[in-house]
């Protein structure tokens, strides 16, 4: 079953009573600074504090009864693990979450709070995948990958569906890591508004999606440190073809711009967002959107109406990047 608008609409009907319809906020100050009209889809107010609740909930409630009884499994040290644990609790089925043994305690507590069974492993991709495969072989649980799953992608695409039901925009921007959010929202945006532009943004230190997009083939890279740790994942084998087909461009931003964007949104809009959520606005700060290819003014994004997906607000308040920088 292909990922299309009908599937995304069906996902929205399936999950709407289990998620928040998050608000779309604006800021006159940020509009003036950018020269555009910005509309922020605030998934930082979503259940579990991130858009991941959409995809995980859709995947869990899409399972037939026989599969659901055997439970679900994934490997995740972040928001997807919590989102899957919550969705499984809502459906009353087992959830097995493989987490690196060095996962932050707050993330472990979040998964535990929804009654999931946690399996700890060494902090590397091979160990995570092996531990998850072992859990599945022993329990018969269904793997719900954080982005390489079309039900997850369809659920994520409901964010743009809600955004475009509320406002009309010329351009949709969102961050890209594994690509589930981008794939789902690009399909939604292009299906509803064929002339709309979809631009993804990722840290320059984790630029595999941008490299892949411009090379027209999937490229796997070794990631450097980025404050936007939720975007360190390489773009997926299943998500990349969708991205290549529906997305207009992928640009990259510096660490300094991510921190500046995050702080600007905190201070101006009075809302808490995590570094990964700040990445699209960082592209506006750095004027990374190419005017000739996108038909925008050379000064930046001109007078366009721009929808920005603020992906989450799960932040370690003891390690805010601007505080760390002052101490360094």
């Amino acid at each position: 079953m292909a990922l299309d608008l009908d599937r995304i609409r069906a996902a929205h009907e399936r999950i709407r009573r289990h998620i928040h319809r998050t608000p779309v906020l604006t800021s006159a100050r940020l509009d003036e600074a950018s020269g555009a009209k910005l509309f922020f889809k605030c998934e930082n107010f979503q259940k579990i504090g991130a858009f991941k609740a959409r995809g995980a909930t859709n995947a869990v409630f899409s399972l037939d009864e026989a599969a659901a009884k055997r439970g679900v499994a994934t490997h995740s040290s972040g928001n997807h693990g919590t989102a899957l644990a919550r969705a499984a609790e809502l459906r009353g089925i087992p959830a097995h979450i493989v987490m690196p043994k060095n996962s932050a305690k707050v993330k472990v507590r979040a998964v535990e709070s929804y009654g999931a069974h946690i399996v700890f492993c060494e902090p590397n991709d091979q160990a995570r995948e092996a531990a998850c495969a072992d859990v599945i072989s022993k329990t018969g649980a269904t793997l719900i990958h954080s982005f390489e799953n079309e039900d997850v992608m369809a659920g994520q695409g409901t964010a743009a569906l809600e955004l475009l039901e509320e406002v009309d925009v010329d351009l949709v921007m969102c961050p890209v890591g594994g690509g589930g959010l981008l794939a789902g929202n690009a399909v939604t945006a292009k299906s509803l508004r064929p002339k709309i532009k979809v631009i993804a943004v990722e840290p320059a230190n984790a630029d595999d999606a941008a490299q892949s997009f411009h090379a027209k083939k999937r490229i796997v890279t070794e990631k450097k440190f980025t404050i936007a740790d939720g975007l360190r994942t390489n773009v997926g084998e299943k998500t990349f073809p969708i991205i290549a087909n529906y997305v207009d461009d992928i640009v990259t931003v510096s660490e300094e711009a991510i921190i500046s964007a995050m702080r600007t949104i905190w201070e101006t809009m009075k809302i808490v967002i995590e570094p990964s959520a700040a990445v699209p606005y960082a592209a506006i700060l750095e004027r990374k959107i190419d005017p000739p290819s996108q038909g925008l003014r050379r000064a930046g994004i001109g007078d366009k109406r721009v929808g920005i997906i603020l992906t989450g607000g799960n932040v370690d308040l003891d390690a805010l990047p601007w505080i760390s920088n002052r101490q360094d």
Side-chain angles (χ1 to χ4, degrees):
M1 186 176 178
L3 181 65
D4 58 20
L5 184 60
D6 286 344
R7 190 167 180 179
I8 292 166
R9 288 191 187 278
H12 198 235
E13 285 301 312
R14 188 176 293 117
I15 68 176
R16 65 166 68 241
R17 66 191 180 96
H18 301 300
I19 63 165
H20 289 313
R21 185 181 180 100
T22 53
V24 177
L25 300 185
T26 60
S27 166
R29 285 180 59 189
L30 298 186
D31 287 353
E32 183 178 0
S34 68
K37 183 68 175 175
L38 307 181
F39 299 89
F40 295 91
K41 178 62 171 169
C42 294
E43 289 297 288
N44 52 317
F45 297 145
Q46 188 53 265
K47 297 289 188 178
I48 71 100
F51 74 94
K52 295 283 190 180
R54 294 177 181 271
T57 304
N58 187 51
V60 166
F61 281 86
S62 294
L63 294 173
D64 62 39
E65 286 300 321
K69 286 179 181 179
R70 295 192 296 270
V72 292
T74 198
H75 53 86
S76 169
S77 59
N79 293 331
H80 177 66
T82 305
L84 189 65
R86 173 182 178 271
E89 183 183 58
L90 286 171
R91 190 161 180 185
I93 64 175
H96 307 273
I97 312 298
V98 173
M99 303 185 73
K101 63 183 182 182
N102 62 350
S103 296
K105 289 183 174 57
V106 64
K107 295 180 178 179
V108 174
R109 289 195 298 269
V111 172
E112 288 176 337
S113 71
Y114 293 110
H117 173 239
I118 298 176
V119 176
F120 291 103
C121 68
E122 293 299 316
N124 60 69
D125 289 344
Q126 294 82 1
R128 286 164 55 137
E129 291 172 4
C132 196
D134 183 60
V135 167
I136 290 169
S137 69
K138 291 177 178 176
T139 64
T142 298
L143 172 65
I144 306 295
H145 195 277
S146 60
F147 52 88
E148 296 280 63
N149 179 303
E150 288 191 352
D151 288 321
V152 169
M153 296 181 216
Q156 318 302 32
T158 63
L161 187 66
E162 292 179 359
L163 172 68
L164 294 174
E165 285 176 350
E166 189 164 337
V167 295
D168 189 20
V169 298
D170 306 299
L171 168 65
V172 172
M173 299 178 69
C174 74
V176 56
L181 176 72
L182 177 58
N185 283 286
V187 170
T188 298
K190 290 289 190 177
S191 299
L192 288 172
R193 312 270 198 280
K195 294 183 179 180
I196 206 169
K197 300 295 183 183
V198 178
I199 297 181
V201 190
E202 67 180 344
N205 283 358
D207 66 345
D208 68 287
Q211 287 190 43
S212 300
F213 182 83
H214 295 294
K216 297 181 169 34
K217 63 179 182 179
R218 181 172 176 265
I219 296 172
V220 175
T221 65
E222 290 292 329
K223 302 303 179 70
K224 303 174 186 176
F225 170 82
T226 175
I227 193 71
D229 59 351
L231 306 180
R232 293 186 72 240
T233 306
N234 278 283
V235 69
E237 293 181 9
K238 295 181 180 179
T239 58
F240 180 68
I242 299 171
I243 290 166
N245 190 43
Y246 286 93
V247 172
D248 292 284
D249 200 4
I250 301 179
V251 299
T252 63
V253 291
S254 69
E255 294 296 294
E256 293 77 15
I258 296 170
I259 295 170
S260 178
M262 179 180 172
R263 182 165 185 166
T264 297
I265 290 172
W266 277 50
E267 292 180 340
T268 305
M269 299 182 70
K270 317 305 180 190
I271 59 175
V272 173
I273 64 166
E274 60 196 59
S276 296
V279 167
Y281 186 68
I284 293 175
L285 288 182
E286 289 197 316
R287 306 296 187 189
K288 285 295 184 75
I289 302 173
D290 181 49
S293 68
Q294 301 306 331
L296 307 180
R297 290 182 179 174
R298 185 159 298 280
I301 50 178
D303 58 358
K304 298 295 181 181
R305 295 166 63 86
V306 182
I308 298 175
I309 310 294
L310 291 180
T311 49
N314 293 317
V315 181
D316 182 352
L317 296 179
D318 293 322
L320 295 176
W322 45 87
I323 294 176
S324 298
N325 286 346
R326 283 205 302 267
Q327 291 173 342
D328 292 343

